[in-house]
Amino acid sequence: MAALLAAPVTAQRENYIAADLVAEGDPVPGETLTVALRFRPQEGWHGYWANPGDAGEGMRLDWQLPDGWEAGEPLYPVPEELELLGLINHTYSDPYAVLVPIEVPQSAGVANIAPITVDAQWLACSDRLCVPEQATLTLRFPQETPELAAQFDEHRAAIPALIDSPGSFEVRSDTLRLAIPLPASLDLADPHVFIEQKDVIDYAAPQTFYRQGDMLVAEIARGGLRVEPGELRGILAFADEGEGVRFEAVPGEVPAGGTRIGPRTVDTPLALLLGGALLGGLLLNLMPCVFPILSLKALTLARAGGEEKQARIEGLAYTAGVVLACLALGALVLALRAGGTQVGWAFQLQEPLVVAGLLVIATLITANFMGLFEIPNLPIRTRGEGGAFATGLLAAVVATPCTGPFMAAALGAALLLPAAQALLLFGALGLGLALPFLLLGFVPALRRILPRPGAWMATFRRLLAIPMGLTALALVWLSWRLGGASFAFAAAALAILPVVALTARRNGNRLVAAIAVVAALYFAASLPFREVEQVADGSESVLEPVAYSEAALAEARASGAPVFLWFTADWCLTCKVNEQVAIERDATRAAFEEAGVVAMRGDWTRRDPEITRYLEEWESAGVPLYVWYPGGGEGEKLPQVLTPDLLGDLAAGTD
């Protein structure tokens, strides 16, 4: 079968985008003849897809065909996104071909076939100029070009295949939700939906994608004239090399929830994020959960008042400890996530053995403050940069659960940014946390404000044992929540026995000290085997919340009722304060019952990949996270510090 090529068109030499018309082969009666309009843009110029986007114009074709022949809809390759002056266009800057199927009637003669002619009009644009262009392209039979068959294979390969099953879509006030049937085994890289109908979506808006088994769900903001389409056609692009598939969709139900896929971007400038991280770390010094560590610093700062050199050394040592700990924790989070493990900030407090270790440290410090024993190498020792460095390490580790209210944006962005930029944010957090102590070390005027060292320090030190002891009790409770009663008992024994051993040794009772050491070793060895797999259910709530899962959230949203979703953890002090102030209130329950609000809670006390994925979707590095879904609407992220009437007002607004 001969391959045929159109005769040259002299007028096209003046066009910035040259064009010709070719056919895949000879026409056969009763079959489809595929022709290609081939375009070759000059360097710096581009043509447009069927839907050009925010600007531009699609191609127009006027066919002159033999009697009974009929041209179908043009088939385009995957377009590119081009941004010019804030406008998003769908373009082609490299040579491309648009295929058009032509139905040849059964009665068509195979000899002396009349030419195929098309009057084509298109828009050629550069970054400065747009020029309407046209050409009359004619295809005569037979004209033979041997290499054309191979070229047509390339043209066909560039046209995305049509999915054999229709998708579904639903149009909301501000969002288009689209479900495209796609095998779950297909690996998607940077997916993007091109909608053929104009004025349906905002072309510049981010596109969010979720996996629901063999269904890909896209959520895109509305835009343009916001037309209400009766059907949708388009291209799903899922690679940088122009790969994709065509789809058709009809109005219907689109599943909610699913696993989010695709890259996430951060729009906030890095400098602003760094400033937020620094300020968040600075404010973190005022948080109640950091108060026991501030107690450690208070004794060190008080003794540093009179020695300039020693104060600076300890200021630098403490800062090094804090920053190093924040960088190490941040690097570990990034490494675990890169390896596929779903973790977030403060992940170490989701691990029972880590909590047991912190319990041992808190108990030893409490006993030391009470004067039961002295160990020179503890972080609270009275002199030396080593103690300041260790105190900094401990401060950063224990402070991480309290970063939520001040660090939500910066830490959430850190999980999406490149590793180098993410580590800068973690370092800025550490610097902010260490800044007051660092300033005291280098600014003598600030140190002179501190009380002079004296006998008062012994009394003050014993008073500081109270908050540290309360911290130890809280860690015992958290050990029980994470690992069960047997684990909590062993952890408490492991924390108390070293105190018994040290106190007995101080009093000269070596036998008691030896027995305590042996018992401590036994509990330490048995601790990993006492941990239970399941943490107890979350504490009772007046709202009687549904336990969070992707399926439960999808079901609740599908019901059309408003949904209040909150994520908490037993080690998150801010979470507990918010629950007492705004959530666990009779007024909130009454407002929810009247408005039919579905309350849903996610407990992140122990690691939960499903919850971690949801936190990622909202660019949150940890808890608390509060999301409000109005009936039939999209979720709205609420502040991390709730006011007493906020939830009641939201529920009342649904009436």
Side-chain angles (χ1 to χ4, degrees), residues 6-30:
V9 180
T10 56
Q12 74 185 28
R13 296 180 182 275
E14 301 177 0
N15 288 333
Y16 291 104
I17 301 180
D20 61 17
L21 178 65
V22 297
E24 188 174 14
D26 290 330
V28 177

Side-chain angles (χ1 to χ4, degrees), residues 12 24 27 46 64 79 167 210 254 268 274 298 306 308 355 373 391 414 416 458 496 548 584 599 616 625:
Q12 74 185 28
E24 188 174 14
H46 58 262
Q64 291 85 50
Y210 302 88
V254 177
T268 308
L274 288 171
E308 181 76 19
V355 173
F373 59 84
T391 304
L416 307 178
I496 294 172
Y548 168 77
E584 303 296 345
E616 284 183 16
L625 173 65

Side-chain angles (χ1 to χ4, degrees), residues 305-648:
E307 300 180 17
E308 181 76 19
K309 181 179 179 181
Q310 186 65 27
R312 292 184 177 184
I313 291 175
E314 294 195 16
L316 289 173
Y318 175 82
T319 301
V322 172
V323 174
L324 181 61
C326 288
L327 288 175
L329 287 170
L332 185 55
V333 170
L334 296 177
L336 290 172
R337 292 171 63 85
T341 304
Q342 295 288 339
V343 297
W345 187 245
F347 71 97
Q348 70 275 13
L349 294 180
Q350 296 174 320
E351 300 296 332
L353 293 177
V354 174
V355 173
L358 291 174
L359 171 59
V360 171
I361 294 175
T363 304
L364 287 172
I365 294 175
T366 301
N368 185 275
F369 276 168
M370 294 172 63
L372 297 181
F373 59 84
E374 291 287 345
I375 296 182
N377 291 325
L378 278 179
I380 53 174
R381 70 187 193 181
T382 56
R383 298 196 59 80
E385 59 275 10
F389 179 80
T391 304
L393 290 174
L394 185 61
V397 172
V398 178
T400 48
C402 301
T403 53
F406 310 119
M407 290 291 297
L411 289 181
L415 302 183
L416 307 178
L417 288 169
Q421 297 180 13
L423 289 176
L424 279 177
L425 290 179
F426 291 123
L429 167 65
L431 181 60
L433 178 60
L435 191 57
F437 190 77
L438 183 64
L439 290 176
L440 281 166
F442 278 81
V443 181
L446 294 178
R447 291 201 306 279
R448 285 194 290 270
I449 299 176
L450 296 175
R452 292 180 177 274
W456 66 270
M457 293 181 64
T459 303
F460 181 62
R461 177 171 167 169
R462 288 182 172 81
L463 290 175
L464 292 180
I466 297 174
M468 186 58 72
L470 293 175
T471 301
L473 291 176
L475 289 170
V476 172
W477 176 76
L478 183 56
S479 297
W480 169 71
R481 291 280 292 133
L482 288 172
S486 178
F487 182 88
F489 173 79
L494 180 60
I496 294 172
L497 286 169
V499 176
V500 173
L502 291 169
T503 304
R505 188 173 183 274
R506 178 184 181 184
N507 296 331
N509 196 332
R510 296 181 179 274
L511 178 60
V512 173
I515 294 174
V517 169
V518 172
L521 292 174
Y522 163 75
F523 283 112
S526 67
L527 199 60
F529 304 100
R530 296 173 181 264
E531 179 184 342
V532 296
E533 290 295 327
Q534 299 240 347
V535 66
D537 292 336
S539 57
E540 294 296 325
S541 170
V542 298
L543 300 184
E544 299 181 357
V546 178
Y548 168 77
S549 69
E550 294 173 354
L553 178 59
E555 181 180 353
R557 293 184 62 189
S559 70
V563 179
F564 170 61
L565 173 58
W566 85 93
F567 293 94
T568 182
D570 289 338
W571 38 261
C572 173
L573 180 62
T574 307
C575 303
K576 299 307 176 185
V577 172
N578 279 332
E579 287 163 16
Q580 294 303 314
V581 169
I583 298 176
E584 303 296 345
R585 302 175 68 235
D586 291 335
T588 302
R589 179 184 61 186
F592 277 19
E593 289 178 350
E594 182 176 352
V597 177
V598 176
M600 186 172 295
R601 176 176 60 190
D603 191 337
W604 207 44
T605 300
R606 293 205 68 170
R607 188 184 306 168
D608 186 322
E610 202 169 12
I611 292 178
T612 305
R613 285 194 298 267
Y614 188 88
L615 295 176
E616 284 183 16
E617 294 170 14
W618 290 91
E619 298 183 3
S620 180
V623 291
L625 173 65
Y626 307 104
V627 181
W628 174 266
Y629 290 91
E634 297 304 309
E636 172 191 356
K637 188 175 181 179
L638 302 181
Q640 287 200 314
V641 177
L642 302 179
T643 58
D645 299 327
L646 175 62
L647 298 179

